[in-house]
Amino acid sequence: MSQLRGEAAILVGPGRLEVEEVPVRELADGEVLVRNTVGAICGSDVHRVRAESPFFRDMNDHPFPCPPGYPGHEGLGEVLESRSPKFRPGEIVLTVPNHAYMASFAKYQTISDQFLLHVPSDGSPMHYLMAQQLGTVVYALKKFWPEPTPGRSAAVVGVGSAGMLFVQMLKHRGFERVVAVDLDPGRLALARKLGADETVLVPDQSVSVLDPASGSPVENFDVELAIEAAGTDSARDYAMAMVGLRGRLGFFGMPEAHGMQVPYASLFGKQITLATAVGAQLEPNLASFRESLELIVADEIAVKDHITHTFDLKRIDEAFELAHSRADGVVKVGITYD
């Protein structure tokens, strides 16, 4: 296998991805070689690749050109070679890499066995792939709402793919009223289909939450849990405006900059609890990813409407442009490796 070569996307500069054929490195003990079948673009991938915000410009994960396949971290494929007793050639696996193994935008991926899960050999690979993102949502809800009993009301600000999963998981956990907030009416319609009880169409990036029928500011949401799932400070502003007395705030998306304006007096007066969530890959036994895979296999969480557009790896630059522009009704972009 040491002479194996395969195509990989390489980030050669901000916003510049090139596909090249690269050699596959030797496996170390505990590592597995996976031939990727399908992958997907996460919102954080778009931020990392474009590096337009101060937080991502300053992150400096890797010098350019970045390692092949970076920053892909949502993948599913077949084990070709293994130096791990946990996985054998021919098995199908979900890859949920940590930062050191982000390489899903490549035909072949070398990864530690601690970031792999067995998946069924039948069924839709694209559906099982969604267990990666759903796993991060399951993990986040453990932090955002640690109480064993569900709340009555929640809001999800930003209903891209992750936001749609939050809507479903909140209803799955028993929340009575879930409000979806977004700039795109098409996404709000899908959120309704997936369980949202109310939707709020935001016509601009102001901090006023508007009623979709009258266009007037709404002051009485006062939800018990408000989740930001868009990765923008404006979405976090909406979430902070919607949370009620002794409520909880969950910031899921990655930062835009190193700081932001917070209405501390309001949060202080309402006795708000704020939590963030990152690092599901480091949870013991990949517990949240395992739970998410079980939910998808059991068809308890719907994922078939999430990946709306698919591109071959050779066209990954087009795939990222669509994921960034959010045109053509896109929710999430998939990648194939033919």
Side-chain angles (χ1 to χ4, degrees):
M1 288 290 184
S2 60
Q3 300 303 308
L4 187 65
R5 298 176 65 88
E7 290 181 331
I10 299 177
L11 183 60
V12 297
R16 294 172 51 216
L17 285 162
E18 296 180 359
V19 178
E20 301 178 12
E21 189 172 276
V22 299
V24 176
R25 70 169 176 82
E26 294 273 2
L27 295 182
D29 288 341
E31 290 185 333
V32 175
L33 178 63
V34 178
R35 181 192 183 279
N36 284 319
T37 304
V38 292
I41 296 175
C42 175
S44 66
D45 294 333
V46 177
H47 288 305
R48 281 189 169 95
V49 166
R50 296 181 67 88
E52 292 176 335
S53 71
F55 177 80
F56 287 94
R57 284 200 305 271
D58 298 341
M59 185 179 287
N60 294 323
D61 281 351
H62 299 284
F64 297 118
C66 296
Y70 173 86
H73 56 278
E74 298 183 8
L76 181 147
E78 178 185 356
V79 174
L80 291 187
E81 183 181 0
S82 176
R83 292 187 62 178
S84 162
K86 302 176 184 177
F87 298 92
R88 296 177 298 184
E91 294 178 330
I92 308 301
V93 292
L94 179 73
T95 62
V96 293
N98 71 344
H99 184 269
Y101 284 99
M102 284 183 175
S104 299
F105 297 139
K107 187 171 184 178
Y108 301 105
Q109 179 176 3
T110 301
I111 185 170
S112 169
D113 62 4
Q114 65 182 304
F115 303 118
L116 293 175
L117 286 178
H118 291 100
V119 300
S121 57
D122 59 349
S124 169
M126 281 293 187
H127 291 178
Y128 295 145
L129 172 65
M130 288 298 301
Q132 194 283 340
Q133 187 170 53
L134 178 57
T136 64
V137 168
V138 170
Y139 174 77
L141 279 177
K142 292 177 182 178
K143 300 189 70 177
F144 296 165
W145 193 264
E147 290 81 356
T149 56
R152 294 183 302 277
S153 59
V156 180
V157 184
V159 285
S161 182
M164 299 286 186
L165 294 173
F166 272 115
V167 167
Q168 291 192 76
M169 282 301 304
L170 288 164
K171 296 302 291 185
H172 180 76
R173 286 196 56 178
F175 278 74
E176 298 173 13
R177 172 180 175 238
V178 176
V179 183
V181 182
D182 202 90
L183 300 164
D184 188 305
R187 290 187 173 191
L188 290 176
L190 180 55
R192 277 274 193 182
K193 178 181 176 182
L194 293 174
D197 300 289
E198 300 174 41
T199 59
V200 177
L201 176 63
V202 182
D204 53 45
Q205 293 287 344
S206 74
V207 297
S208 297
V209 178
L210 305 182
D211 180 272
S214 67
S216 302
V218 176
E219 304 294 347
N220 62 345
F221 276 104
D222 290 338
V223 296
E224 293 169 284
L225 172 63
I227 297 171
E228 169 273 311
T232 64
D233 289 345
S234 60
R236 287 180 272 271
D237 285 334
Y238 282 108
M240 289 186 288
M242 296 181 76
V243 68
L245 182 65
R246 289 185 291 277
R248 291 182 171 273
L249 275 170
F251 286 177
F252 180 77
M254 298 188 76
E256 282 193 291
H258 297 284
M260 65 172 288
Q261 293 291 323
V262 173
Y264 178 62
S266 174
L267 300 184
F268 179 84
K270 290 193 288 185
Q271 305 171 55
I272 301 304
T273 300
L274 169 63
T276 61
V278 68
Q281 297 83 354
L282 302 179
E283 189 180 21
N285 200 35
L286 300 177
S288 294
F289 293 109
R290 292 182 188 278
E291 180 180 344
S292 71
L293 186 59
E294 292 171 0
L295 289 168
I296 290 173
V297 170
D299 201 26
E300 294 185 34
I301 297 296
V303 294
K304 67 182 182 65
D305 292 321
H306 284 255
I307 297 180
T308 54
H309 298 70
T310 304
F311 293 81
D312 184 76
L313 179 64
K314 296 181 180 65
R315 299 171 59 202
I316 196 167
D317 54 342
E318 298 175 55
F320 265 88
E321 179 55 35
L322 180 62
H324 169 66
S325 69
R326 301 181 181 180
D328 195 30
V330 66
V331 175
K332 190 173 184 68
V333 178
I335 303 295
T336 58
Y337 303 88
D338 297 332

